[in-house]
């Protein structure tokens, strides 16, 4: 889905049937489906900018550990610029986010289960720390983020992908 979709009609903006239409979720096919929010990368178009934010989603991945390679990362939400990163299911089935300023991945503790709904949350404090919550329970120690203020900014752009690539496989 590159654009809008309607749960009431069960069709995307091009008239194609949505993969899932009974539960209000959008289906993603792991190869080319995503939602582009069209965020402007300029300062005025940032969804989050140098402040605390929370990303929360219900996700159901068809396969949380598909192959173990970087191309198997499944993005829940993606950001198009050099900033905090993107919330994903990493190759080991755990939640992951890339810290551009720290130059490293930050992970949750518990792998997600394939074909099961999970409520995933990332809370960023707007400074140098973040936490994961999985199904209502804290699932990480504080995740430290270094770097400049620019590298900590978030410009949310994609649902189910990153840049676009690293497509989600399942429902969000």
């Amino acid at each position: 889905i590159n654009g809008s979709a309607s749960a009431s009609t069960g069709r995307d903006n091009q008239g194609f049937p949505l993969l899932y239409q009974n539960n209000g979720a959008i289906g993603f096919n792991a190869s080319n489906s995503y939602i582009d929010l069209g965020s402007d990368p300029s300062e005025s178009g940032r969804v989050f900018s140098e402040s605390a934010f929370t990303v929360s989603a219900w996700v159901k991945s068809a396969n949380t550990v598909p192959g173990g390679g970087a191309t198997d990362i499944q993005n829940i939400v993606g950001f198009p610029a050099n900033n905090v990163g993107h919330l994903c299911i990493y190759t080991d089935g755990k939640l992951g986010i890339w810290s551009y300023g720290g130059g490293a991945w930050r992970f949750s503790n518990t792998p997600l289960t394939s074909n099961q709904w999970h409520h995933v949350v990332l809370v960023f404090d707007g400074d140098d720390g973040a936490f994961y919550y999985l199904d209502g329970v804290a699932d990480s120690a504080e995740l430290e983020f270094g770097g400049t203020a620019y590298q900590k900014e978030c410009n949310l752009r994609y649902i189910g992908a990153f840049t676009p690539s690293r497509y989600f496989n399942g429902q969000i």
Side-chain angles (χ1 to χ4, degrees), residues 123-158:
V123 178
F124 181 65
D125 68 9
D127 185 24
D128 290 322
F131 295 90
Y132 288 115
Y133 293 85
L134 179 60
D135 298 324
V137 178
D139 197 56
S140 69
E142 183 174 14
L143 310 165
E144 295 184 17
F145 291 88
T148 65
Y150 173 74
Q151 291 170 320
K152 296 176 190 175
E153 292 178 349
C154 280
N155 179 13
L156 178 60
R157 170 92 186 245
Y158 304 106

Side-chain angles (χ1 to χ4, degrees), residues 39 42-43 45-56 77 79 83-84 122 124 150 152-157:
S39 299
S42 70
E43 185 66 33
R46 293 191 192 277
V47 175
F48 309 114
S49 181
E50 295 185 56
S51 61
F53 67 84
T54 299
V55 175
S56 173
V77 293
F79 311 100
N83 48 35
V84 167
L122 173 71
F124 181 65
Y150 173 74
K152 296 176 190 175
E153 292 178 349
C154 280
N155 179 13
L156 178 60
R157 170 92 186 245

Side-chain angles (χ1 to χ4, degrees), residues 91-144:
T91 58
D92 60 1
K94 296 179 181 180
L95 295 174
I97 190 165
W98 176 257
S99 168
Y100 285 98
W105 284 96
R106 306 295 190 250
F107 299 105
S108 65
N109 294 322
T110 308
L112 280 68
T113 304
S114 297
N115 293 309
Q116 181 177 349
W117 282 104
H118 293 282
H119 185 233
V120 299
V121 178
L122 173 71
V123 178
F124 181 65
D125 68 9
D127 185 24
D128 290 322
F131 295 90
Y132 288 115
Y133 293 85
L134 179 60
D135 298 324
V137 178
D139 197 56
S140 69
E142 183 174 14
L143 310 165
E144 295 184 17

